[in-house]
Amino acid sequence: MTSTTMKSIQSQPLIEIGIIIAGLLDEVDEQATSLAVQSTRNFLLNHFPDFEFDLFIVRRPELVDANVVQPSVLLQRAVEERDFRHWDYSFVLTSADLDRYYAAHCSAALSRPLDAAVISFSLIDPVAVGESMDETLRVQRVAYRLSRLMLHSLSHLSGLGPSDDPTNLMSHPADAKDLDAMETLAASQVEQQRLSFTEVADQRLEEISGHRLSGPAFAMRAGWINRREIIEAIVAARPWQFPRRLSGLTLASVSTVAVLLMTAEAWDLALSESWLCIVLLTTAAWLLTTGYVIVRQQLLVRHGRRPSEQSIVTAASAIGIVVGGMVVTWLWLCFLGLTVSSSLFGSSLIASWAASSDLSPNDVTVLLKMKMSLFSASIGLLIGALGASFESQHYFRHIIFVDEEV
């Protein structure tokens, strides 16, 4: 019986969580995993008695054969398994270290756009960080910490925000020992997560509509139904930090804007164009850079012949995150262009550069400088997209999809 059929006959809404064991685990981690899965399920049943929770363990020893792995690679496999098996959430457990980009260390990489998380045993094992204890206590300690990470991840994927209370499951642990104190959720957090579970446990659109909707209609319907989840995933990715994180794109864009601002022909061309042409250029720059980056960095997860509602949400979130990042970068470039042109270039010089427009120094206003800023920012963004292609694909996918490192 498939999980889709199971959901349709469940007396209680069903939440399905897949747990993928990537690579091989030692005996301690194997025992700890069993205990942690049971502890996690018991916690969920106690706090959300209106739901049924099924946790499945799938072993994929071939996924990890190194001491350090890229979370983005394992997240990709988590999504593939999630879509194939129709899970609601997907966790990957590994004994390997996780490469990190935001924090000093990384025990878990969480992704709301993908409804998935990658968790490592390497930093939560007390023996691995120099503590000594007997095997029984070690298994219990690893199991408890693993269950805290799983519950924290699930709460994060459900949309819960961070907490300053060190006993709260949404606290951000500074190290593995902080996980030992994380045990509760506030009443408001439980209610928020309950509402999220209610939405997740609903039948998927493909289960309701079957093949009645065409591909575009299905995608639009799925995007509209899940618009809040998509927006939350975009916000969680913090696209306003893209100019700092994507240094290749930013450097190429800023260099292009600087060259254009010091080129007489660029001023002449920009100021001779209509505002409609500038608007069309700006729109084209946003669309072309977004499309190029998505294709070049392979950000859209591959699916079968017919996408699922979850896959549409993942794709829409990825596109929205990239668009948001491009727009934020473009706005910074506009600000840079307007600041430099207003500070360094006098009206007489600009009028002499814009020869074909037959301008006098009195005609050079802030509005014309803004037109040049929009023009140079749009061209800069297009060139910057080429700079983004030099970023590591693992790094770029991490920036797009991983919104928290624990």
Side-chain angles (χ1 to χ4, degrees):
M1 184 177 296
T2 65
S3 59
T4 299
T5 306
M6 287 291 293
K7 282 195 174 189
S8 64
I9 64 175
Q10 279 280 333
S11 59
Q12 292 180 302
L14 175 63
I15 302 294
E16 296 175 302
I17 304 170
I19 299 170
I20 304 166
I21 298 179
L24 300 175
L25 303 181
D26 61 24
E27 185 61 29
V28 170
D29 291 343
E30 286 282 1
Q31 295 181 44
T33 298
S34 298
L35 292 176
V37 168
Q38 187 60 47
S39 175
T40 299
R41 185 173 186 273
N42 290 340
F43 181 95
L44 294 172
L45 290 173
N46 289 335
H47 286 76
F48 306 99
D50 296 335
F51 296 86
E52 180 60 36
F53 296 90
D54 280 351
L55 282 72
F56 305 91
I57 295 180
V58 174
R59 299 182 183 277
R60 291 288 181 265
E62 75 282 0
L63 291 185
V64 174
D65 58 0
N67 294 327
V68 180
V69 296
Q70 293 287 342
S72 62
V73 174
L74 296 182
L75 284 171
Q76 174 86 10
R77 296 305 301 267
V79 172
E80 293 171 359
E81 289 280 356
R82 181 204 70 186
D83 289 346
F84 177 74
R85 299 176 183 276
H86 302 287
W87 294 333
D88 297 303
Y89 302 99
S90 183
F91 296 159
V92 179
L93 307 184
T94 178
S95 60
D97 289 317
L98 301 181
D99 207 354
R100 81 290 184 282
Y101 296 97
Y102 307 149
H105 56 80
C106 181
S107 296
L110 318 182
S111 174
R112 289 186 63 185
L114 303 180
D115 282 332
V118 179
I119 301 174
S120 171
F121 287 94
S122 63
L123 296 178
I124 64 174
D125 188 337
V127 172
V129 294
E131 298 181 41
S132 59
M133 61 182 60
D134 64 71
E135 185 169 307
T136 301
L137 182 57
R138 180 186 173 193
V139 169
Q140 293 173 352
R141 186 69 56 82
V142 173
Y144 186 82
R145 292 175 177 178
L146 177 58
S147 68
R148 301 305 98 176
L149 284 174
M150 292 173 66
L151 290 168
H152 176 94
S153 300
L154 189 59
S155 298
H156 176 85
L157 300 182
S158 300
L160 271 63
S163 172
D164 295 329
D165 181 0
T167 66
N168 193 283
L169 283 172
M170 290 309 296
S171 171
H172 191 89
D175 54 38
K177 292 182 180 179
D178 289 347
L179 292 168
D180 298 336
M182 295 166 56
E183 56 183 17
T184 63
L185 286 174
S188 59
Q189 292 174 310
V190 171
E191 176 61 18
Q192 182 181 347
Q193 194 162 1
R194 187 189 68 78
L195 293 175
S196 177
F197 283 157
T198 300
E199 295 179 3
V200 170
D202 286 342
Q203 277 192 302
R204 299 293 181 186
L205 182 59
E206 62 270 19
E207 300 166 7
I208 301 173
S209 64
H211 294 279
R212 293 196 303 270
L213 295 176
S214 64
F218 179 86
M220 293 177 62
R221 180 77 178 275
W224 177 253
I225 293 174
N226 296 278
R227 60 192 182 278
R228 184 175 64 85
E229 182 180 347
I230 293 170
I231 292 172
E232 289 177 351
I234 294 172
V235 172
R238 300 181 292 277
W240 53 87
Q241 295 183 2
F242 275 30
R244 176 175 61 85
R245 291 178 176 176
L246 300 177
S247 56
L249 184 151
T250 302
L251 182 60
S253 299
V254 170
S255 300
T256 302
V257 170
V259 171
L260 291 174
L261 290 175
M262 294 186 291
T263 305
E265 289 79 4
W267 280 91
D268 191 20
L269 176 61
L271 298 188
S272 65
E273 299 295 337
S274 67
W275 278 102
L276 177 60
C277 288
I278 298 296
V279 170
L280 292 176
L281 174 63
T282 297
T283 304
W286 292 351
L287 296 177
L288 290 174
T289 53
T290 298
Y292 175 78
V293 167
I294 286 175
V295 173
R296 180 68 177 80
Q297 299 292 346
Q298 301 179 22
L299 297 180
L300 296 184
V301 180
R302 296 182 179 87
H303 302 283
R305 290 184 303 172
R306 183 172 179 82
S308 65
E309 181 180 349
Q310 283 178 303
S311 67
I312 295 298
V313 172
T314 297
S317 299
I319 293 171
I321 291 167
V322 175
V323 170
M326 295 299 110
V327 171
V328 168
T329 303
W330 179 84
L331 289 172
W332 275 109
L333 293 174
C334 289
F335 176 76
L336 174 65
L338 186 59
T339 301
V340 171
S341 60
S342 300
S343 303
L344 301 182
F345 304 120
S347 298
S348 298
L349 179 60
I350 294 175
S352 67
W353 281 351
S356 64
S357 299
D358 195 23
L359 297 174
S360 69
N362 292 332
D363 294 327
V364 179
T365 62
V366 173
L367 198 60
L368 289 183
K369 294 179 181 179
M370 184 177 295
K371 179 186 282 190
M372 176 58 182
S373 300
L374 300 182
F375 174 83
S376 59
S378 299
I379 300 297
L381 191 65
L382 288 167
I383 302 301
L386 299 177
S389 67
F390 293 102
E391 301 277 10
S392 162
Q393 189 176 103
H394 294 314
Y395 175 72
F396 204 99
R397 292 179 65 85
H398 196 98
I399 294 299
I400 297 296
F401 290 123
V402 176
D403 39 63
E404 185 183 359
E405 291 179 351
V406 179

